[in-house]
Amino acid sequence: MMLQKSATSFGPVEATDDAFWDQFWADTATSVQDVFALVPAAEIRAVREESPSNLATLCYKAVEKLVQGAESGCHSEKEKQIVLNCSRLLTRVLPYIFEDPDWRGFFWSTVPGAGRGEGEDDDENARPLAESLLLAIADLLFCPDFTVQSHRRSTVDLAEDMHSLDSCEYIWEAGVGFAHSPQPNYIHDMNRTELLKLLLTCFSEAMYLPPAPDSGSTNPWVQFFCSTENRHALPLFTSLLNTVCAYDPVGYGIPYNHLLFSDYREPLVEEAAQVLIVTLDHDSASSASPTVDGTTTGTAMDDVDPPGPENLFVNYLSRIHREEDFQFILKGIARLLSNPLLQTYLPNSTKKIQFHQELLVLFWKLCDFNKKFLFFVLKSSDVLDILVPILYFLNDARADQSRVGLMHIGVFILLLLSGERNFGVRLNKPYSVRVPMDIPVFTGTHADLLIVVFHKIITSGHQRLQPLFDCLLTIVVNVSPYLKSLSMVAANKLLHLLEAFSTTWFLFSAAQNHHLVFFLLEVFNNIIQYQFDGNSNLVYAIIRKRSVFHQLANLPTDPPAIHKALQRRRKCCWEGAGQGSSRPPGPPGIDKLTEKSQVSEDGTLRSLEPAPPQSSADSSPAEEEPSQSWREQRRLSSASASGQWSPTSEWVLSWKAKLPLQTIMRLLQVLVPQVEKICIDKGLTDESEILRFLQHGTLVGLLPVPHPILIRKYQANSGTAMWFRTYMWGVIYLRNVDPPVWYDTDVKLFEIQRV
């Protein structure tokens, strides 16, 4: 199967020379790995440059064979083998067609005479090669006795006609919209996996285009495949979703089971998850729903329910609504996300899945496109079965620069969830399962777990995580009004963060560092105003660290003091605050990611936008016009000759005046003398007595009027859509190593860092 020998040395070969072309797919004993070994990259590129007509013929002949297989239904073993070999060959060759801009339009052109067989009308023959290929793959994924169980009882019955076949009866797995679970068949699983790999390779043209600032650029392969042109769109969407959500890697729970039996399901589930997230790559921000403009003849009925997105996969996903379907999806994703956390007494005895990043993207898409699903997740206590694995992954990846993308998506999901009151309420559930994490032991709730992990990320993660600090603290602010009782461990962690962030050198060393202090003060204010009764641990920690608040209130603003603080910075351990590079470019800053809403008396939210954003210049290079407050800060600080930012007295004064310290100062004013009196009267050094006093104390009528609760809700935009696309393809690129579909090709969407 040497490509070069056969396709480059003889000059152009006629398309009609079947004997020559058939040798490429006639071989019986090949696997996709064999094809990758037998067809080296250098040979594909040589054919592309030296014998372009042969490469073109090879592609369209291979597509033709797939079309023929889809038409006939692949009844003989020989036909099945030809389809698989053509599929493998195209998987191998397509990335080399995409990497060359001159070839990019090739699959979207019509090939003369390469229609649907002879004698059909010309417009049928005029289908672009890409469309013929995609429709053939879709047909082949529901081909009885090849990729699905045949429903025929005996061979006497005529073979099922591919044209009249109702693929909705052949959905691969029970779950959403389908109750019957077909008998597992590992040969069907392997054939589906090969065809899905080819489909994913078709979609991967997106990797060869540089990141576009307008994320509206749709992928033509995905667009066509998910359109009404694909008659299998619904059963295929359902098959992919159900296959992923029904998968149980632990199986029957027999230890070491996975070492005895090769699991043919897992490669299929991985491929299904990857195809699913790529087909759902749709920018919800830019195309929420088309509006009826004045010129159309839209009736009043049309206005009620605007048409959903053209992408049928997104459309179907957004329309799932039955509780039992939501339960099936949520349980499935939670089970798979929790799988890597399974603790057993026998090392390596349970199978650990590797596709948690794809699952996180899928979960994100579900919440983004289906608000009913998001609310279902939040009202069920199963949301904690999503939270705990995410915290595990965040903690596990915090020191690894190569997993910065995983950190971002985990934080984005928690930011999205934290915008809803129910999430904060759910966090009060006691945390009893012990997940293997290197964090301090504590007795407390899921809120304590979240705070302890966030503290660990901030204090012992790597520098490229700095842009996430705003996000992490925004999540804590969002949930803080609902936290009934923080543990002493979590309370001390929050105060430790305040101590670190309120040192003068840190406050003065970057234009937006003071935001972190504002977030933390807001957390303390929310808990004191709305949850004082159960939070004696936090109140005690605030009293013990009262000097930090006094230092903030007396922050120096004169130039010599600012200069001195920055000198101290040179010698400090937090060096590099506010810097950090990210490839692919980091997502936008928190001001671009959130919209402020105020919780009113009845618990409803009302938007407060446009308000001055919470953060500033820490977002991606494609930053829009800087926000008003940021421009103000720039004016008040001065840029030195080296282009380095430097703080001024006016700048410090401008935000120091706004520090929300009143509530805490009032609390200290009332409680500190009382606590000191107890200590003197009783000669106390024992915390428990003081805590008991604080538990029964009250500040009713002594504190300022409670401020309204502010929630910063996640807000989609084109910057985040582009970030998700880049992250998703980066994961797919790195996870497909056997065979290495895209390795060493000229990918443009992101940079590959060779280790």
Side-chain angles (χ1 to χ4, degrees):
M1 196 168 173
M2 297 303 281
L3 193 66
Q4 191 163 13
K5 182 182 82 218
S6 39
T8 54
S9 41
F10 305 126
V13 180
E14 286 301 318
T16 48
D17 183 351
D18 286 342
F20 174 79
W21 295 109
D22 284 350
Q23 64 182 342
F24 286 103
W25 25 86
D27 201 352
T28 48
T30 56
S31 68
V32 67
Q33 284 78 7
D34 295 337
V35 173
F36 272 69
L38 289 167
V39 185
E43 291 192 12
I44 305 174
R45 290 189 175 115
V47 177
R48 191 181 68 197
E49 307 310 323
E50 296 158 33
S51 308
S53 67
N54 286 358
L55 183 59
T57 306
L58 180 73
C59 287
Y60 98 71
K61 287 297 235 184
V63 173
E64 193 177 55
K65 287 290 174 195
L66 292 180
V67 171
Q68 286 166 6
E71 293 272 306
S72 71
C74 286
H75 297 300
S76 68
E77 282 309 308
K78 181 169 190 254
E79 282 178 287
K80 291 175 184 166
Q81 199 55 56
I82 287 174
V83 163
L84 289 172
N85 283 341
C86 289
S87 177
R88 293 159 185 161
L89 192 62
L90 286 166
T91 301
R92 180 60 171 141
V93 170
L94 273 168
Y96 297 90
I97 287 190
F98 295 152
E99 74 173 359
D100 185 338
D102 296 339
W103 276 82
R104 212 162 278 142
F106 169 71
F107 269 86
W108 294 97
S109 57
T110 49
V111 180
R116 294 288 184 80
E118 310 315 307
E120 290 189 24
D121 13 296
D122 284 343
D123 58 350
E124 188 55 41
N125 286 348
R127 226 187 230 305
L129 200 54
E131 295 186 4
S132 303
L133 171 56
L134 290 170
L135 293 176
I137 295 172
D139 280 340
L140 288 164
L141 286 168
F142 292 99
C143 186
D145 286 328
F146 180 52
T147 50
V148 290
Q149 292 284 328
S150 171
H151 290 182
R152 299 287 173 201
R153 289 284 164 269
S154 70
T155 47
V156 181
D157 283 344
L158 282 170
E160 283 147 296
D161 177 31
M162 291 298 285
H163 288 288
S164 60
L165 177 130
D166 177 6
S167 45
C168 284
E169 294 172 14
Y170 291 87
I171 287 169
W172 301 349
E173 185 58 76
V176 176
F178 194 68
H180 167 66
S181 190
Q183 200 50 44
N185 180 318
Y186 77 91
I187 295 188
H188 294 173
D189 275 2
M190 294 198 311
N191 294 343
R192 291 165 179 172
T193 304
E194 299 238 27
L195 288 164
L196 289 177
K197 196 174 280 302
L198 171 58
L199 187 57
L200 194 60
T201 309
C202 291
F203 294 160
S204 73
E205 184 177 12
M207 282 198 218
Y208 298 90
L209 305 168
D214 61 318
S215 58
S217 51
T218 42
N219 181 329
W221 295 84
V222 172
Q223 191 176 12
F224 179 81
F225 191 78
C226 298
S227 73
T228 47
E229 294 268 358
N230 177 0
R231 71 190 180 99
H232 304 293
L234 179 59
L236 187 58
F237 167 76
T238 314
S239 294
L240 295 171
L241 183 63
N242 292 353
T243 299
V244 171
C245 294
Y247 178 55
D248 183 1
V250 179
Y252 299 108
I254 306 163
Y256 299 105
N257 201 13
H258 66 290
L259 301 178
L260 304 177
F261 305 101
S262 181
D263 177 358
Y264 293 98
R265 214 3 91 119
E266 188 178 17
L268 173 64
V269 174
E270 288 201 7
E271 214 67 55
Q274 292 178 1
V275 167
L276 201 50
I277 60 178
V278 171
T279 52
L280 295 170
D281 177 23
H282 173 83
D283 183 1
S284 58
S286 66
S287 53
S289 55
T291 51
V292 181
D293 66 27
T295 57
T296 60
T297 53
T299 64
M301 281 299 292
D302 296 337
D303 295 346
V304 181
D305 202 8
E310 306 261 285
N311 177 324
L312 290 179
F313 279 40
V314 174
N315 202 325
Y316 297 143
L317 184 79
S318 67
R319 295 201 334 237
I320 297 171
H321 61 275
R322 290 176 12 191
E323 293 260 317
E324 56 268 42
D325 289 343
F326 287 157
Q327 189 60 33
F328 164 75
I329 294 170
L330 180 57
K331 281 264 186 261
I333 292 178
R335 177 177 60 245
L336 291 170
L337 284 177
S338 306
N339 163 271
L341 287 57
L342 291 176
Q343 274 293 67
T344 56
Y345 297 105
L346 304 167
N348 305 324
S349 64
T350 51
K351 187 178 183 83
K352 286 209 185 330
I353 60 154
Q354 302 295 324
F355 55 99
H356 49 273
Q357 299 193 85
E358 292 92 321
L359 289 165
L360 290 173
V361 176
L362 177 59
F363 182 76
W364 173 269
K365 298 280 179 197
L366 280 154
C367 293
D368 196 19
F369 296 144
N370 192 321
K371 287 299 170 245
K372 288 197 181 91
F373 176 75
L374 176 61
F375 294 131
F376 176 84
V377 169
L378 287 159
K379 73 169 205 258
S380 121
S381 57
D382 292 345
V383 67
L384 301 175
D385 297 334
I386 300 284
L387 168 75
V388 172
I390 289 178
L391 292 175
Y392 169 84
F393 294 129
L394 291 178
N395 184 57
D396 191 50
R398 71 178 192 276
D400 182 351
Q401 295 241 7
S402 67
R403 291 159 77 195
V404 71
L406 169 62
M407 299 293 296
H408 276 101
I409 189 166
V411 172
F412 280 171
I413 290 172
L414 297 184
L415 179 63
L416 181 73
L417 296 175
S418 77
E420 306 298 332
R421 174 182 178 273
N422 259 350
F423 181 66
V425 174
R426 290 273 163 223
L427 290 179
N428 291 307
K429 188 178 173 186
Y431 172 68
S432 48
V433 279
R434 283 285 168 253
V435 168
M437 279 198 253
D438 55 337
I439 53 170
V441 177
F442 65 90
T443 305
T445 65
H446 284 75
D448 295 308
L449 177 68
L450 178 130
I451 288 168
V452 167
V453 170
F454 282 10
H455 173 269
K456 190 106 185 180
I457 294 167
I458 291 172
T459 55
S460 64
H462 56 82
Q463 285 185 1
R464 283 170 62 191
L465 297 182
Q466 205 108 40
L468 277 180
F469 292 180
D470 274 0
C471 266
L472 293 168
L473 293 187
T474 298
I475 294 164
V476 181
V477 172
N478 281 348
V479 301
S480 60
Y482 313 110
L483 304 184
K484 291 193 174 352
S485 156
L486 286 185
S487 69
M488 191 59 94
V489 172
N492 285 334
K493 296 298 180 201
L494 287 175
L495 278 137
H496 176 246
L497 289 179
L498 183 71
E499 251 182 312
F501 290 149
S502 60
T503 59
T504 48
W505 74 260
F506 182 76
L507 281 173
F508 298 159
S509 62
Q512 63 280 3
N513 284 354
H514 63 282
H515 292 253
L516 301 172
V517 168
F518 275 77
F519 284 138
L520 285 164
L521 291 175
E522 203 176 328
V523 170
F524 299 143
N525 288 339
N526 281 342
I527 294 178
I528 293 166
Q529 290 280 19
Y530 293 98
Q531 299 290 348
F532 179 81
D533 286 354
N535 274 296
S536 51
N537 288 330
L538 181 68
V539 174
Y540 178 63
I542 288 173
I543 290 173
R544 276 188 51 213
K545 293 282 183 189
R546 57 190 178 275
S547 60
V548 180
F549 300 97
H550 291 301
Q551 279 162 13
L552 270 174
N554 301 314
L555 193 71
T557 55
D558 55 299
I562 294 173
H563 180 71
K564 189 173 164 196
L566 291 173
Q567 287 308 104
R568 209 173 314 147
R569 174 195 181 195
R570 306 276 174 265
K571 299 191 276 290
C572 188
C573 56
W574 281 63
E575 193 55 74
Q579 284 130 35
S581 66
S582 173
R583 286 188 281 256
I590 192 78
D591 56 321
K592 297 283 183 300
L593 284 175
T594 55
E595 173 185 65
K596 274 200 224 157
S597 313
Q598 192 170 311
V599 181
S600 32
E601 298 293 312
D602 59 357
T604 54
L605 288 175
R606 63 186 185 83
S607 173
L608 294 182
E609 296 295 328
Q614 261 329 98
S615 166
S616 54
D618 56 358
S619 67
S620 60
E623 176 72 84
E624 291 99 303
E625 184 61 7
S627 62
Q628 192 60 46
S629 61
W630 187 69
R631 250 183 267 138
E632 193 68 3
Q633 286 180 8
R634 281 289 186 217
R635 198 174 56 70
L636 293 170
S637 58
S638 61
S640 61
S642 66
Q644 259 217 311
W645 181 84
S646 71
T648 64
S649 294
E650 296 77 28
W651 171 77
V652 178
L653 284 163
S654 72
W655 55 259
K656 179 185 168 182
K658 298 185 190 125
L659 284 168
L661 287 164
Q662 303 80 338
T663 301
I664 295 170
M665 288 309 192
R666 184 77 186 119
L667 172 141
L668 293 173
Q669 195 185 353
V670 174
L671 292 179
V672 169
Q674 297 182 354
V675 169
E676 283 177 340
K677 185 172 184 321
I678 295 177
C679 294
I680 292 164
D681 290 356
K682 304 201 174 171
L684 274 190
T685 49
D686 181 21
E687 299 192 344
S688 56
E689 190 78 26
I690 300 169
L691 282 167
R692 206 165 306 130
F693 162 71
L694 292 173
Q695 265 158 15
H696 300 111
T698 174
L699 291 176
V700 175
L702 297 171
L703 292 177
V705 179
H707 56 285
I709 295 173
L710 266 191
I711 300 287
R712 294 174 183 81
K713 288 173 85 84
Y714 169 82
Q715 199 50 39
N717 62 52
S718 57
T720 49
M722 191 64 231
W723 181 84
F724 271 102
R725 174 172 310 154
T726 309
Y727 170 61
M728 170 184 79
W729 279 115
V731 168
I732 291 170
Y733 176 97
L734 291 170
R735 299 259 301 104
N736 282 272
V737 288
D738 183 27
V741 182
W742 299 282
Y743 182 73
D744 241 358
T745 57
D746 189 13
V747 172
K748 294 275 195 297
L749 185 61
F750 42 79
E751 280 183 42
I752 308 298
Q753 289 174 294
R754 302 266 176 246
V755 181

